[in-house]
Amino acid sequence: MEIITSPQAMLRHASQHRENKTRIALVPTMGALHEGHCSLITIAKEHADHIILSLFVNPLQFGANEDFETYPQTHTTDIAQAKTHGVDVIFMPNTHDLYPENHQTTVTVNTIENVLCGKSRPNHFSGVATIVAKLFQLTRPHVAVFGEKDYQQLVLIKRMVLDLHFPIEIKSGAIIRHDDGLAQSSRNTYLSTQERTIAPCIYQGLSAAQHQHQQGETDPHRLCTTVQQHLDKHPSIAIEYIEIRDAETLETVTALTKPAVLAVAIVLGKTRLIDNIVLK
Ligand code: PAF
């Protein structure tokens, strides 16, 4: 496995593989790899011969009071895990190489970036779209794989790929959960022992709503109320949103007539957690 840090070297490497007709897959990450990331590598391997994993904590997608400075960095174990899972190249650029001094260009995906998480994280999705566009340019993948836990991010990337004509197939990986239902996330390490015992109630709420939907409930308000009742059992949880939106466009829905995503964001102690379930 090769580690590349320079954007120019990454582009040269990818172009060479393109010339040799190798099918390239990109798995973009910010490191602190867990089983969720590993499942994305497995999906990438099903669709390509050459797997590039990017590992970069992107400052542009963090707000002023967010956890950029404290985001978990576990490079040694990340590199070992990537190798074990058959990654061919880790792309680990420096911030000043990816964002040259006085950089001016960003990518915004209107509408999608202003709903759900975008309301409390105003520049987050523009930061995501910008870095992902850069990674696409430098790694020249045929396929890129993203996790469904960041559902809004997935919808946003698909829209960007369509709008900017990136010749890239976007694949997604299902949420990987711990045995108690909590979605795996690099940020789970921020939870105290007590908070960690409370956190699975998000999935319990989502599952209860899914069950209710399977029994025939199609009213978004009643389904969201079910989730809220589960979360309200824990006074330490501050609910940011519980919403049901169209699974493809993230537009609001008044009744569930086609697939919709039930998405939740909460703050537990100092940790912001998101989760979702697609109601089909
Ligand atoms: O999902 C993530 O880890 C990040 O948002 C991504 C896609 C790697 C962009 O920094």
Side-chain angles (χ1 to χ4, degrees):
M1 188 180 72
E2 200 175 336
I3 298 181
I4 297 180
T5 54
S6 128
Q8 293 78 7
M10 185 66 254
L11 184 55
R12 268 198 307 277
H13 177 95
S15 301
Q16 240 160 38
H17 279 274
R18 279 262 173 179
E19 273 164 33
N20 297 341
K21 305 271 181 261
T22 316
R23 209 171 144 75
I24 302 173
L26 170 69
V27 181
T29 82
M30 297 205 298
L33 301 187
H34 51 69
E35 277 178 55
H37 296 113
C38 298
S39 74
L40 303 183
I41 300 171
T42 305
I43 294 170
K45 284 165 69 180
E46 287 162 12
H47 296 279
D49 322 301
H50 191 72
I51 313 301
I52 301 173
L53 179 114
S54 65
L55 207 160
F56 177 67
V57 184
N58 172 35
L60 221 62
Q61 69 189 74
F62 289 80
N65 300 318
E66 293 183 355
D67 55 343
F68 175 63
E69 299 295 341
T70 53
Y71 196 82
Q73 303 245 9
T74 56
H75 287 175
T76 314
T77 50
D78 288 351
I79 291 167
Q81 283 216 52
K83 198 169 175 180
T84 310
H85 284 85
V87 167
D88 297 289
V89 171
I90 295 191
F91 179 42
M92 265 174 86
N94 294 316
T95 304
H96 53 264
D97 286 338
L98 270 197
Y99 293 109
E101 212 183 322
N102 203 24
H103 66 95
Q104 299 291 323
T105 309
T106 54
V107 179
T108 54
V109 183
N110 293 322
T111 316
I112 295 171
E113 66 175 52
N114 299 322
V115 301
L116 300 173
C117 294
K119 285 191 198 153
S120 65
R121 307 188 74 192
N123 299 313
H124 169 69
F125 287 109
S126 166
V128 170
T130 303
I131 188 64
V132 171
K134 280 173 182 278
L135 293 170
F136 284 174
Q137 295 287 11
L138 295 171
T139 62
R140 301 191 59 198
H142 297 80
V143 185
V145 193
F146 293 83
E148 287 167 16
K149 174 162 169 293
D150 295 303
Y151 196 88
Q152 187 172 5
Q153 168 173 284
L154 179 64
V155 173
L156 174 111
I157 299 299
K158 284 182 179 168
R159 186 71 250 175
M160 178 183 80
V161 163
L162 272 179
D163 291 350
L164 298 184
H165 308 279
F166 280 110
I168 302 172
E169 221 180 302
I170 302 300
K171 299 280 176 200
S172 67
I175 299 176
I176 304 295
R177 299 184 179 280
H178 291 282
D179 290 344
D180 58 10
L182 178 64
Q184 295 219 9
S185 162
S186 307
R187 288 190 167 100
N188 288 349
T189 54
Y190 299 157
L191 295 167
S192 69
T193 312
Q194 206 219 346
E195 288 161 357
R196 178 63 189 79
T197 62
I198 294 172
C201 74
I202 309 170
Y203 183 60
Q204 288 155 14
L206 290 171
S207 303
Q210 185 182 40
H211 180 71
Q212 195 181 5
H213 175 58
Q214 282 160 352
Q215 300 301 306
E217 181 59 79
T218 58
D219 176 40
H221 179 70
R222 278 201 282 271
L223 294 167
C224 290
T225 303
T226 297
V227 182
Q228 183 170 351
Q229 282 163 352
H230 276 77
L231 299 178
D232 281 349
K233 289 182 200 155
H234 303 282
S236 52
I237 286 182
I239 299 173
E240 198 178 282
Y241 65 76
I242 305 168
E243 286 193 44
I244 294 185
R245 286 178 172 260
D246 182 279
E248 256 182 55
T249 62
L250 296 188
E251 280 162 8
T252 47
V253 290
T254 48
L256 272 80
T257 51
K258 51 186 186 149
V261 61
L262 168 53
V264 176
I266 65 153
V267 177
L268 176 53
K270 290 193 175 121
T271 312
R272 187 173 179 279
L273 298 172
I274 57 169
D275 201 348
N276 70 79
I277 214 160
V278 175
L279 305 171
K280 296 200 168 120

